[in-house]
Amino acid sequence: MMIFVVGTGLYLLLNFFYLHGFGAFFIAVFAALALCLLLFAALTVEVDGRDVSLCFGIGVIRKKFPVNGIGSVGIVRNPWYYGWGIRKTPDGWLYNVSGLIALEFRMKNGEKYRIGTDDPLGLLNAIKLVMPDKPDEG
């Protein structure tokens, strides 16, 4: 629903710029913003018996974490300046579309990842249910 509303707003803005002669530059800028919106508007996290899977926006950008590779998992708060999107931070890779709360995975190979979520307890419990070893919370 959110994508429809924002997409409609972008369409109306493009029509406004076109009708008032702002030119191709503004249309290109808004087209790039619309593409970013489609790619990063939402983050879906799914947990099954083998993987924790991430899917951004319409599904072009994906990432999987094997459950048996997770050493520990815990709820963390990201500093505001970590921002949103996919980025490398001092605390490992961050996958986030909104908010500051995340789940941090410390993989058995030493890598760290953070996944932003609006339901940290639900995601933590879902991952704990499918992990072969009980993870440390940290």
Side-chain angles (χ1 to χ4, degrees):
M1 179 67 174
M2 183 180 98
I3 291 176
F4 175 75
V5 171
V6 175
T8 302
L10 284 173
Y11 174 76
L12 292 173
L13 281 172
L14 286 173
N15 278 335
F16 174 81
F17 285 137
Y18 180 75
L19 292 174
H20 290 87
F22 283 96
F25 172 75
F26 287 105
I27 292 174
V29 168
F30 278 103
L33 290 174
L35 179 63
C36 288
L37 176 68
L38 286 173
L39 293 176
F40 293 101
L43 174 61
T44 303
V45 182
E46 294 179 354
V47 180
D48 63 24
R50 294 186 303 176
D51 298 309
V52 177
S53 303
L54 307 178
C55 177
F56 276 96
I58 58 174
V60 175
I61 301 169
R62 298 175 175 271
K63 176 78 175 165
K64 284 188 178 185
F65 303 96
V67 170
N68 61 5
I70 298 173
S72 66
V73 60
I75 298 172
V76 295
R77 182 175 176 85
N78 294 317
W80 65 268
Y81 52 84
Y82 277 14
W84 300 294
I86 302 171
R87 62 188 67 236
K88 180 76 169 157
T89 70
D91 294 310
W93 282 96
L94 172 66
Y95 300 86
N96 194 16
V97 294
S98 68
L100 301 176
I101 303 300
L103 215 60
E104 181 176 82
F105 299 133
R106 293 183 183 165
M107 306 302 282
K108 291 178 181 175
N109 65 8
E111 296 175 345
K112 291 194 304 185
Y113 299 94
R114 289 185 174 193
I115 300 173
T117 179
D118 57 352
D119 184 14
L121 288 175
L123 183 56
L124 179 65
N125 290 332
I127 292 169
K128 283 183 174 183
L129 284 175
V130 299
M131 289 187 68
D133 302 326
K134 289 289 183 195
D136 300 327
E137 290 187 36

